[in-house]
Amino acid sequence: MQRGCISVFTNGTDISLANRALLLDKLTAHGYRVTDTYSPETELIICIGGDGALIRTVHSCDFPQCPIIGINTGHLGFFQEISPDNLDAFISDYEKGEYSIQKLSTVKAAVVTDDGSRDSHLGLNEILIKGRHSYSIHLDISIGNMPIERFSGDGILVATPAGSTAYNYSLGGSIVDPRLKLLQVTPIAPMNTTAYRSFTSSILLPAELSLGVTPEHDDDVIFIVNDGMETEYSGVRKIEVSISDTHVQLMRFKNYDFWNKVKTKFL
Ligand code: NAP
């Protein structure tokens, strides 16, 4: 029986490539066409590796609208749903439609520079705004156009609920259930002295509010880091960070429970 097209990506390690070969045999035997590229015909993306590999696949496919599922090959695997031991059960559940889709929201940074040029970046985990190397950075922060604080420190990170368990968590931010629609703004090494006053804890923003960020000096070098990918800017007039309309559709199977995953991966 001829079935649809499945795109399989890996992180290139030996174990991931071995699992890819095994999966390819099984999917082909079930009648699927397997490719290593993403196209409009793709009905499912499978990513073999860890969370980092899944994030890179999402970016390389330009935030695809079809479902994506991860097979974990020995990493933390917070996004990853399938163990390499369960490939047959995965294919069977997929064919029977016994899965759900976890719709993950993403975060967008719109950057305007002094020459009027506009750029934008999307993150599944987070958008990070920081200075060059070990320099501190001074940023005027507004929420929904209301000036709130002048932040001084290493930078600020704006995490999605899905990204709350990544860098955000290492910075002391809270774990957020992805069913909530919000952004978490977490300071990185905020200065809170008589010279500089910055919030020292995370703040949570509802979906309808965006965060405005303006560097104190427009000749400051600013790095925007979306999911670990850096872009350098100078002459930044304004950065606006908000929830994006783009979603990632992560496939989950019947035993998936967000808080059980948190427990098994963090405690
Ligand atoms: P990496 O520095 O090689 O790995 C970062 C670690 O974060 C890996 O263990 C990865 O899991 C895990 N991870 C990624 N997304 C996660 C999520 N949503 N929830 C829980 N853990 C998650 O970088 P990478 O593999 O390219 O991933 C990029 C991400 O690294 C960034 O988006 C950022 O959040 C995170 N990061 C964290 C720190 C920190 O905690 N101090 C510093 C820089 C970047 P796997 O082992 O399964 O890949």
Side-chain angles (χ1 to χ4, degrees), residues 9-36:
F9 296 84
T10 77
N11 59 359
T13 62
D14 288 348
I15 181 168
S16 298
L17 292 173
N19 276 290
R20 185 187 194 284
L22 199 61
L23 182 67
L24 196 138
D25 286 347
K26 290 178 187 292
L27 289 173
T28 310
H30 279 253
Y32 292 99
R33 192 157 57 82
V34 180
T35 70
D36 56 6

Side-chain angles (χ1 to χ4, degrees), residues 3-267:
R3 293 183 197 263
C5 173
I6 296 186
S7 304
V8 182
F9 296 84
T10 77
N11 59 359
T13 62
D14 288 348
I15 181 168
S16 298
L17 292 173
N19 276 290
R20 185 187 194 284
L22 199 61
L23 182 67
L24 196 138
D25 286 347
K26 290 178 187 292
L27 289 173
T28 310
H30 279 253
Y32 292 99
R33 192 157 57 82
V34 180
T35 70
D36 56 6
T37 53
Y38 170 66
S39 78
E41 291 178 347
T42 301
E43 66 173 42
L44 174 68
I45 295 172
I46 301 176
C47 172
I48 308 174
D51 295 319
L54 188 123
I55 292 167
R56 279 184 283 282
T57 298
V58 164
H59 280 270
S60 71
C61 299
D62 200 16
F63 287 76
Q65 282 318 293
C66 73
I68 178 166
I69 187 149
I71 297 175
N72 192 23
T73 47
H75 296 260
L76 176 70
F78 203 78
F79 287 131
Q80 308 301 76
E81 179 68 357
I82 307 287
S83 152
D85 304 333
N86 293 334
L87 297 185
D88 292 317
F90 153 56
I91 295 170
S92 160
D93 285 354
Y94 178 62
E95 286 179 345
K96 285 189 272 175
E98 289 182 356
Y99 56 82
S100 59
I101 297 295
Q102 186 181 33
K103 208 172 160 195
L104 300 178
S105 59
T106 59
V107 55
K108 176 178 77 178
V111 186
V112 182
T113 48
D114 283 340
D115 61 7
S117 65
R118 290 166 187 273
D119 213 356
S120 74
H121 302 276
L122 213 51
L124 173 57
N125 272 345
E126 75 277 299
I127 299 278
L128 167 62
I129 300 170
K130 64 180 197 116
R132 186 172 29 172
H133 309 308
S134 47
Y135 292 96
S136 63
I137 192 170
H138 305 278
L139 304 168
D140 288 325
I141 305 285
S142 60
I143 294 176
N145 291 327
M146 162 81 72
I148 295 291
E149 65 162 339
R150 169 157 297 172
F151 170 86
S152 296
D154 286 4
I156 55 165
L157 180 144
V158 187
T160 61
S164 67
T165 46
Y167 199 174
N168 171 73
Y169 185 63
S170 306
L171 293 168
S174 297
I175 295 176
V176 177
D177 189 313
R179 285 166 284 205
L180 294 171
K181 205 161 187 247
L182 55 81
L183 288 176
Q184 181 168 184
V185 184
T186 298
I188 307 173
M191 294 184 211
N192 196 30
T193 63
T194 49
Y196 299 108
R197 292 256 174 238
S198 310
F199 284 128
T200 54
S201 67
S202 296
I203 53 179
L204 302 180
L205 295 187
E208 62 272 20
L209 285 184
S210 62
L211 186 85
V213 179
T214 306
E216 182 184 27
H217 306 292
D218 64 3
D219 55 349
D220 283 348
V221 172
I222 300 285
F223 284 87
I224 307 281
V225 190
N226 56 329
D227 296 342
M229 287 162 284
E230 284 188 356
T231 308
E232 181 178 339
Y233 290 93
S234 57
V236 170
R237 192 182 299 161
K238 179 144 190 201
I239 304 163
E240 193 164 330
V241 187
S242 56
I243 291 189
S244 151
D245 295 333
T246 302
H247 290 87
V248 170
Q249 312 217 40
L250 204 55
M251 188 173 277
R252 298 294 194 182
F253 287 89
K254 43 186 176 282
N255 291 332
Y256 173 77
D257 175 79
F258 174 74
W259 290 104
N260 187 44
K261 190 92 164 176
V262 170
K263 191 171 90 180
T264 53
K265 297 293 178 183
F266 287 89
L267 299 178

